[in-house]
Amino acid sequence: MERILVLLNTAFEADTEETAGEAIARAAEPGRVSLALSDDPWRAVEGERVWQGEQWVLIAPASVRFGKGWDRRLIRSLRRTGQAGGRAVLTGYLPRAYDAVNAVSPVAAEGFEADGSLRFHRGTPLRYAVRPERCAFLHPDFVFGPVGFFRETLRAWAEDGQPLWLQAMTLRYPLFTADDPALHLVDDHPLPPCPPPARDEALVRFETHFGVDFLNRTLDAKAQVGIYSGDLTAEARVPLSVRMQEGFRRADQWLTPPGRRARPMLVTCWITLPETLEARSPMMAGFRRLASMRHVTLTCFADARSKRQLVLTHPNVLEFRQRHGLPTAEPVTQQNALNYTRLSKAFLLQQAKDVYPGHTHYVWINFDYLRYPVYEGAALDWETFCGGRISLALVGGEPDLSMIAVPTGRLEALCREIQRLCDTARAQGEPWPEETALWETLLQEHPGWFQTYEMPGWRELFSLAMTTKEEEWGNR
């Protein structure tokens, strides 16, 4: 029997009794599991006292929750990497209780600090993935692999101080983002930035292979999403149970009388600006997910340069002209173009209504809103947030303006108020207000116009229309 040593990090948690008991109780083979607690589990691996001949080691925070049969699932996930000799290592950001989807996310590169340190963030979640995906970086709070990996990388780290993810490549232990969410978290702690490693041959090979350049502080698209494929997506297979469930949901929706159904049109925009050039490819991946959904009516405004590319993905693309945005006599410059585009959202909804009348709602959605894979045939319950008032999410009390659902009858008044606030600012010799400040003013001055939804994270309003992870059939 393949035995597993579970090392729980107690640095942030005082009560570990429940976690330890759950690790044993929910294992497929409880007899294979050994447990140890430590404020520094990586150091604990070095000690002979905690190791009793186990083949595998799992490092996880004490706030982790174990899924049924987690031990067998992690071992099977390692097998699916296809690596000979059992040298693969699973890692990634574990899903949190409040995340919209139940999937592990790769540790992806977000950007560089002023001192050259690399910031990390959650990449594209491996929802419906058929196998683990090769990744560049290791999350020190979730690692599962052979005991040799931990001991060899720690010895190498002690000698040269290079990051563990670089040691893993040098020692030929390939890292993979886990495809099976066998573990999840109640919450997590931010991953600190990584100082620039010492430049050596290994780092140069790493940078070339994984698209990270510490010297010039640049990242390619694959490093930003954490998935190293040409189209920035992992191979996926939607389970039959999910496809069946969505079919039943769709059939049930047709029982609703047509006059009571919300018929929204989603509207987005892509304008090539200096601020968006670096993120163009990851943003396109998000747009492709949205455009692939069969039960979404979507139109996109784009500049002439971008329109030629977008029509290859989605046929309903309109050319953006300045008259479609915020009416103004002020010049749109390179300095204010991004804010101008953001302030133009309601006016683009109005333009979409003029071109495509007949929808009950016109819904702004950011171009790259969908950061995770979705089932193309998902049935959408629009009535959850498409009602008689303008709907948007709040995150910690701050408006999330990545998605705004506006009833057709409120569009004209909304545009009029936005223009008034912008014109007033300019008449007083001030620049146009920032987007968030403008919408906060609207919420204060016209509370009866709005229906707000307090959400745990950004870009989650759309999830209210979809099957939740708790409802999804066969959710692992």
PDB file of all heavy atoms in Angstrom, residues 449-460:
ATOM      1  N   TRP A 449     -32.937  53.133  -8.297  1.00  0.00           N
ATOM      2  CA  TRP A 449     -32.658  52.598  -9.626  1.00  0.00           C
ATOM      3  C   TRP A 449     -31.981  51.230  -9.584  1.00  0.00           C
ATOM      4  O   TRP A 449     -32.005  50.500 -10.570  1.00  0.00           O
ATOM      5  CB  TRP A 449     -31.714  53.546 -10.387  1.00  0.00           C
ATOM      6  CG  TRP A 449     -32.314  54.823 -10.854  1.00  0.00           C
ATOM      7  CD1 TRP A 449     -33.520  55.361 -10.514  1.00  0.00           C
ATOM      8  CD2 TRP A 449     -31.710  55.767 -11.760  1.00  0.00           C
ATOM      9  NE1 TRP A 449     -33.702  56.557 -11.138  1.00  0.00           N
ATOM     10  CE2 TRP A 449     -32.622  56.833 -11.913  1.00  0.00           C
ATOM     11  CE3 TRP A 449     -30.502  55.806 -12.437  1.00  0.00           C
ATOM     12  CZ2 TRP A 449     -32.347  57.916 -12.728  1.00  0.00           C
ATOM     13  CZ3 TRP A 449     -30.220  56.888 -13.249  1.00  0.00           C
ATOM     14  CH2 TRP A 449     -31.138  57.945 -13.396  1.00  0.00           C
ATOM     15  N   PHE A 450     -31.359  50.902  -8.457  1.00  0.00           N
ATOM     16  CA  PHE A 450     -30.395  49.801  -8.447  1.00  0.00           C
ATOM     17  C   PHE A 450     -30.837  48.615  -7.588  1.00  0.00           C
ATOM     18  O   PHE A 450     -31.478  48.778  -6.555  1.00  0.00           O
ATOM     19  CB  PHE A 450     -29.038  50.298  -7.940  1.00  0.00           C
ATOM     20  CG  PHE A 450     -28.373  51.272  -8.860  1.00  0.00           C
ATOM     21  CD1 PHE A 450     -28.571  52.644  -8.693  1.00  0.00           C
ATOM     22  CD2 PHE A 450     -27.567  50.832  -9.893  1.00  0.00           C
ATOM     23  CE1 PHE A 450     -27.965  53.557  -9.543  1.00  0.00           C
ATOM     24  CE2 PHE A 450     -26.955  51.737 -10.750  1.00  0.00           C
ATOM     25  CZ  PHE A 450     -27.155  53.099 -10.580  1.00  0.00           C
ATOM     26  N   GLN A 451     -30.428  47.446  -8.056  1.00  0.00           N
ATOM     27  CA  GLN A 451     -30.472  46.220  -7.267  1.00  0.00           C
ATOM     28  C   GLN A 451     -29.035  45.730  -7.170  1.00  0.00           C
ATOM     29  O   GLN A 451     -28.400  45.448  -8.191  1.00  0.00           O
ATOM     30  CB  GLN A 451     -31.332  45.153  -7.936  1.00  0.00           C
ATOM     31  CG  GLN A 451     -31.323  43.799  -7.232  1.00  0.00           C
ATOM     32  CD  GLN A 451     -31.996  43.862  -5.867  1.00  0.00           C
ATOM     33  OE1 GLN A 451     -33.152  44.248  -5.771  1.00  0.00           O
ATOM     34  NE2 GLN A 451     -31.275  43.483  -4.831  1.00  0.00           N
ATOM     35  N   THR A 452     -28.489  45.693  -5.961  1.00  0.00           N
ATOM     36  CA  THR A 452     -27.097  45.279  -5.799  1.00  0.00           C
ATOM     37  C   THR A 452     -27.016  43.906  -5.139  1.00  0.00           C
ATOM     38  O   THR A 452     -27.906  43.501  -4.386  1.00  0.00           O
ATOM     39  CB  THR A 452     -26.312  46.295  -4.953  1.00  0.00           C
ATOM     40  OG1 THR A 452     -26.927  46.412  -3.662  1.00  0.00           O
ATOM     41  CG2 THR A 452     -26.281  47.654  -5.643  1.00  0.00           C
ATOM     42  N   TYR A 453     -25.945  43.206  -5.427  1.00  0.00           N
ATOM     43  CA  TYR A 453     -25.719  41.857  -4.912  1.00  0.00           C
ATOM     44  C   TYR A 453     -24.325  41.820  -4.289  1.00  0.00           C
ATOM     45  O   TYR A 453     -23.331  42.036  -4.990  1.00  0.00           O
ATOM     46  CB  TYR A 453     -25.808  40.820  -6.035  1.00  0.00           C
ATOM     47  CG  TYR A 453     -27.142  40.793  -6.743  1.00  0.00           C
ATOM     48  CD1 TYR A 453     -27.435  41.715  -7.750  1.00  0.00           C
ATOM     49  CD2 TYR A 453     -28.116  39.861  -6.399  1.00  0.00           C
ATOM     50  CE1 TYR A 453     -28.658  41.709  -8.407  1.00  0.00           C
ATOM     51  CE2 TYR A 453     -29.345  39.842  -7.058  1.00  0.00           C
ATOM     52  CZ  TYR A 453     -29.605  40.776  -8.046  1.00  0.00           C
ATOM     53  OH  TYR A 453     -30.824  40.755  -8.692  1.00  0.00           O
ATOM     54  N   GLU A 454     -24.269  41.590  -3.007  1.00  0.00           N
ATOM     55  CA  GLU A 454     -22.963  41.478  -2.340  1.00  0.00           C
ATOM     56  C   GLU A 454     -22.347  40.132  -2.698  1.00  0.00           C
ATOM     57  O   GLU A 454     -22.929  39.080  -2.426  1.00  0.00           O
ATOM     58  CB  GLU A 454     -23.113  41.602  -0.830  1.00  0.00           C
ATOM     59  CG  GLU A 454     -21.800  41.674  -0.081  1.00  0.00           C
ATOM     60  CD  GLU A 454     -21.015  42.946  -0.376  1.00  0.00           C
ATOM     61  OE1 GLU A 454     -21.617  44.040  -0.413  1.00  0.00           O
ATOM     62  OE2 GLU A 454     -19.785  42.825  -0.569  1.00  0.00           O
ATOM     63  N   MET A 455     -21.176  40.162  -3.339  1.00  0.00           N
ATOM     64  CA  MET A 455     -20.501  38.953  -3.784  1.00  0.00           C
ATOM     65  C   MET A 455     -19.151  38.835  -3.097  1.00  0.00           C
ATOM     66  O   MET A 455     -18.521  39.839  -2.743  1.00  0.00           O
ATOM     67  CB  MET A 455     -20.319  38.976  -5.308  1.00  0.00           C
ATOM     68  CG  MET A 455     -21.610  39.162  -6.109  1.00  0.00           C
ATOM     69  SD  MET A 455     -22.798  37.811  -5.878  1.00  0.00           S
ATOM     70  CE  MET A 455     -22.001  36.503  -6.804  1.00  0.00           C
ATOM     71  N   PRO A 456     -18.649  37.605  -2.911  1.00  0.00           N
ATOM     72  CA  PRO A 456     -17.374  37.426  -2.199  1.00  0.00           C
ATOM     73  C   PRO A 456     -16.149  37.801  -3.019  1.00  0.00           C
ATOM     74  O   PRO A 456     -15.067  37.999  -2.469  1.00  0.00           O
ATOM     75  CB  PRO A 456     -17.361  35.932  -1.875  1.00  0.00           C
ATOM     76  CG  PRO A 456     -18.224  35.313  -2.927  1.00  0.00           C
ATOM     77  CD  PRO A 456     -19.293  36.322  -3.224  1.00  0.00           C
ATOM     78  N   GLY A 457     -16.296  37.866  -4.347  1.00  0.00           N
ATOM     79  CA  GLY A 457     -15.152  38.179  -5.197  1.00  0.00           C
ATOM     80  C   GLY A 457     -15.594  38.924  -6.440  1.00  0.00           C
ATOM     81  O   GLY A 457     -16.792  39.074  -6.722  1.00  0.00           O
ATOM     82  N   TRP A 458     -14.607  39.390  -7.210  1.00  0.00           N
ATOM     83  CA  TRP A 458     -14.885  40.136  -8.422  1.00  0.00           C
ATOM     84  C   TRP A 458     -15.314  39.212  -9.545  1.00  0.00           C
ATOM     85  O   TRP A 458     -14.954  38.045  -9.588  1.00  0.00           O
ATOM     86  CB  TRP A 458     -13.640  40.931  -8.839  1.00  0.00           C
ATOM     87  CG  TRP A 458     -13.157  41.850  -7.759  1.00  0.00           C
ATOM     88  CD1 TRP A 458     -12.166  41.605  -6.851  1.00  0.00           C
ATOM     89  CD2 TRP A 458     -13.692  43.143  -7.434  1.00  0.00           C
ATOM     90  NE1 TRP A 458     -12.038  42.654  -5.991  1.00  0.00           N
ATOM     91  CE2 TRP A 458     -12.948  43.629  -6.325  1.00  0.00           C
ATOM     92  CE3 TRP A 458     -14.696  43.943  -7.977  1.00  0.00           C
ATOM     93  CZ2 TRP A 458     -13.192  44.871  -5.755  1.00  0.00           C
ATOM     94  CZ3 TRP A 458     -14.935  45.181  -7.406  1.00  0.00           C
ATOM     95  CH2 TRP A 458     -14.191  45.636  -6.312  1.00  0.00           C
ATOM     96  N   ARG A 459     -16.098  39.735 -10.464  1.00  0.00           N
ATOM     97  CA  ARG A 459     -16.542  39.025 -11.669  1.00  0.00           C
ATOM     98  C   ARG A 459     -17.369  37.782 -11.343  1.00  0.00           C
ATOM     99  O   ARG A 459     -17.164  36.727 -11.932  1.00  0.00           O
ATOM    100  CB  ARG A 459     -15.321  38.616 -12.521  1.00  0.00           C
ATOM    101  CG  ARG A 459     -14.495  39.792 -13.012  1.00  0.00           C
ATOM    102  CD  ARG A 459     -13.200  39.294 -13.624  1.00  0.00           C
ATOM    103  NE  ARG A 459     -12.367  40.395 -14.062  1.00  0.00           N
ATOM    104  CZ  ARG A 459     -12.226  40.808 -15.317  1.00  0.00           C
ATOM    105  NH1 ARG A 459     -12.878  40.177 -16.276  1.00  0.00           N
ATOM    106  NH2 ARG A 459     -11.444  41.814 -15.624  1.00  0.00           N
ATOM    107  N   GLU A 460     -18.285  37.913 -10.410  1.00  0.00           N
ATOM    108  CA  GLU A 460     -19.079  36.745 -10.037  1.00  0.00           C
ATOM    109  C   GLU A 460     -20.575  36.929 -10.231  1.00  0.00           C
ATOM    110  O   GLU A 460     -21.349  36.011  -9.970  1.00  0.00           O
ATOM    111  CB  GLU A 460     -18.777  36.347  -8.582  1.00  0.00           C
ATOM    112  CG  GLU A 460     -17.363  35.836  -8.390  1.00  0.00           C
ATOM    113  CD  GLU A 460     -17.149  35.179  -7.047  1.00  0.00           C
ATOM    114  OE1 GLU A 460     -18.139  34.915  -6.344  1.00  0.00           O
ATOM    115  OE2 GLU A 460     -15.984  34.927  -6.696  1.00  0.00           O
TER     116      GLU A 460
END
